[in-house]
Amino acid sequence: MKTVLLFSLAVTLAACASRHEPVVQVTPASVPGTTLPSGDMESVRYAENIKAYPLGRYVDPNNSRIMHEAHEIYRVETTAKWNLHPNAPVSVPLGPVRVRDTAKTTIPVANELLAELNQQKEATKAVMQSGQLVSQKLSELASKLQQTQQIVTQNTQLKQEVDSTKQRLDALEEQLRAKLSTTMPKQRPDQFEKSEW
């Protein structure tokens, strides 16, 4: 037993006296076609999102003699797509802890911006005024059009009355000529037209 102890002591002392070489870890080279771990998948491609929608009983829209029992429909909400922003979001330091209320603070405005803003306000005001003027002119035009339609209606009525009066006058002249021709057969019609009544 002493021999074993002496031998192990000699080996231990020899091991302490020898030089240690650095340990090199050999990592296996990446092989084409290896699958990514599920944790790294989001950094390359987003997975598709699927939602389930429960449906109750319903009548088939194509055939009213068929009823579908309650079931679930699975729908792909978003398809899988490549992750074009693989880096983690960067947080920007906000500076001092004091936070300004932007609603109460005024930002210095450049003179050019102020001049442009005033110019836009004037242009908007001019457009609104011209719009009011156009609407006023359109209402005047509508009233004039209505008056014109009334005048046209009156003119057609007057024309009809004139035509009927002319027809009546022609009929009366014919009757008068017929009467005169029976009472005065020797007088010629051209003399009748020139004679006074």
Side-chain angles (χ1 to χ4, degrees):
M1 178 98 172
K2 285 187 182 184
T3 353
V4 175
L5 279 174
L6 285 175
F7 180 70
S8 64
L9 182 63
V11 171
T12 308
L13 288 176
C16 290
S18 69
R19 267 199 272 160
H20 289 290
E21 302 237 354
V23 178
V24 178
Q25 285 186 334
V26 179
T27 57
S30 62
V31 179
T34 56
T35 58
L36 288 174
S38 61
D40 294 340
M41 187 63 85
E42 287 289 322
S43 66
V44 176
R45 187 171 173 89
Y46 296 118
E48 63 183 7
N49 292 326
I50 300 174
K51 286 190 178 179
Y53 295 95
L55 293 177
R57 287 182 168 186
Y58 68 95
V59 176
D60 193 315
N62 296 327
N63 189 347
S64 63
R65 297 186 313 178
I66 297 175
M67 181 190 75
H68 293 270
E69 187 59 52
H71 61 283
E72 287 190 11
I73 291 180
Y74 299 96
R75 181 174 183 268
V76 176
E77 294 291 319
T78 56
T79 57
K81 59 184 175 184
W82 295 107
N83 182 0
L84 301 179
H85 306 286
N87 299 330
V90 178
S91 62
V92 179
L94 296 175
V97 179
R98 190 181 114 216
V99 178
R100 296 184 334 180
D101 187 6
T102 56
K104 294 181 180 175
T105 58
T106 58
I107 300 173
V109 180
N111 290 336
E112 295 171 0
L113 182 60
L114 189 58
E116 180 66 26
L117 185 62
N118 289 335
Q119 187 178 10
Q120 290 297 325
K121 283 181 182 178
E122 291 297 321
T124 303
K125 197 181 293 182
V127 166
M128 290 176 68
Q129 288 174 351
S130 63
Q132 290 173 353
L133 182 65
V134 165
S135 64
Q136 180 184 2
K137 293 294 183 185
L138 281 176
S139 63
E140 289 175 8
L141 184 62
S143 66
K144 296 290 183 187
L145 180 63
Q146 188 176 11
Q147 290 174 359
T148 306
Q149 287 175 346
Q150 289 174 354
I151 291 171
V152 166
T153 306
Q154 290 173 356
N155 283 345
T156 40
Q157 288 175 354
L158 288 174
K159 185 177 179 191
Q160 289 173 355
E161 289 176 9
V162 167
D163 288 343
S164 66
T165 307
K166 186 176 177 184
Q167 288 174 356
R168 286 177 48 207
L169 279 176
D170 289 343
L172 285 174
E173 283 180 359
E174 282 295 319
Q175 288 176 359
L176 187 60
R177 283 187 187 147
K179 255 186 193 180
L180 288 177
S181 65
T182 57
T183 57
M184 299 190 303
K186 295 181 182 175
Q187 188 178 12
R188 292 190 317 227
D190 57 342
Q191 290 175 348
F192 173 69
E193 290 177 2
K194 292 179 182 176
S195 64
E196 294 183 16
W197 296 22

